[in-house]
Amino acid sequence: MSTVQAPRRTPKAPGLGRGRPDSERAPRSFWFDPRFAIGVGLVIVSVLGVVGVVTAADSSVLVYAARSALVPGDRVTASDLDARSVRLGSLGAQYLRDGDVPQEGFVVTRPVSAGELVPSSAVGEVAGAVGASVVVGVNGELARSISEGSIVDLWNAKETDNNLFGPPSVLVDSATVVRVIAKDGVIVDRTVQSVELLVPRTKIAAVLEAIANADALSLVPTSIPAKG
């Protein structure tokens, strides 16, 4: 009985039948999609825009603006003003800011137009008010430049004999026009115009004396506005 021998396996040479080592593989080509770059750019721009808006909002401050025209002598509180968020930078300290108005309010010391930001220099403490409003009858027409808030000189001329008047002189200088009183009614004196003035308290007695003595009173503007 013969013996069948199994065929002998020949060992394979090293490296045969295997893949190439990683170090010998060909490098992959870099893939770049322009749409990806555009998307990244849009995201960066959007983030920078949000940062800019937040930064701008943080630099805004609340300041007060006049809701209506303010004239010297007016007493105003926070409820009479509008708070606005504005960017003033280093100029913010020059205006009346939110929280600066005390409960008793302020007294206006110089005219502030409606809608104008209220300068800190345009208001004073209530206890320091030194002016009072007086209504005077002015002879003749008013100058065109005289209106609410105008600064004027009040002149007077005393009556002499024979219904004549002596030389005029300045009774109050730098008075402020509070309002020009409209003439109402069917029968009115067209030769006299009533005007409410803010005058220093030290001049009130002299003004009232001139009114009682029927002195001829006139208003002369101290300056003419550049526009108007």
Side-chain angles (χ1 to χ4, degrees):
M1 183 174 180
S2 60
T3 301
V4 179
Q5 294 181 352
R8 299 178 65 182
R9 295 181 180 180
T10 304
K12 295 182 180 181
L16 296 178
R18 297 181 181 177
R20 300 177 64 184
D22 293 342
S23 61
E24 297 180 3
R25 292 178 183 177
R28 294 182 180 180
S29 60
F30 179 75
W31 175 81
F32 177 79
D33 189 344
R35 293 175 296 179
F36 176 76
I38 294 174
V40 173
L42 291 176
V43 171
I44 294 175
V45 171
S46 177
V47 171
L48 292 177
V50 172
V51 172
V53 171
V54 173
T55 302
D58 290 343
S59 62
S60 299
V61 294
L62 284 176
V63 297
Y64 283 114
R67 185 173 299 169
S68 59
L70 304 177
V71 298
D74 284 350
R75 183 172 177 174
V76 296
T77 61
S79 61
D80 300 317
L81 306 170
D82 291 328
R84 297 182 181 177
S85 179
V86 295
R87 296 180 60 189
L88 295 174
S90 60
L91 299 178
Q94 299 182 15
Y95 294 91
L96 204 61
R97 301 176 63 172
D98 183 29
D100 289 345
V101 182
Q103 186 175 2
E104 65 274 13
F106 277 126
V107 172
V108 179
T109 58
R110 65 180 179 84
V112 179
S113 303
E116 179 184 351
L117 299 182
V118 181
S120 301
S121 59
V123 295
E125 299 292 339
V126 172
V130 294
S133 295
V134 178
V135 176
V136 299
V138 179
N139 295 336
E141 294 291 333
L142 296 178
R144 182 179 180 180
S145 62
I146 294 179
S147 60
E148 182 179 292
S150 298
I151 306 300
V152 297
D153 290 338
L154 175 63
W155 290 67
N156 78 309
K158 297 184 178 296
E159 186 176 5
T160 60
D161 297 336
N162 301 323
N163 294 326
L164 298 177
F165 292 89
S169 60
V170 176
L171 182 61
V172 179
D173 60 346
S174 299
T176 302
V177 177
V178 177
R179 61 182 174 129
V180 177
I181 301 175
K183 299 178 180 179
D184 298 326
V186 178
I187 301 176
V188 295
D189 187 356
R190 299 293 178 181
T191 62
V192 178
Q193 173 67 63
S194 296
V195 179
E196 183 178 354
L197 296 177
L198 181 70
V199 300
R201 293 186 180 276
T202 56
K203 294 288 186 178
I204 292 177
V207 173
L208 294 178
E209 181 182 357
I211 295 173
N213 292 336
D215 292 355
L217 302 177
S218 301
L219 295 181
V220 178
T222 59
S223 62
I224 299 176
K227 296 182 179 180

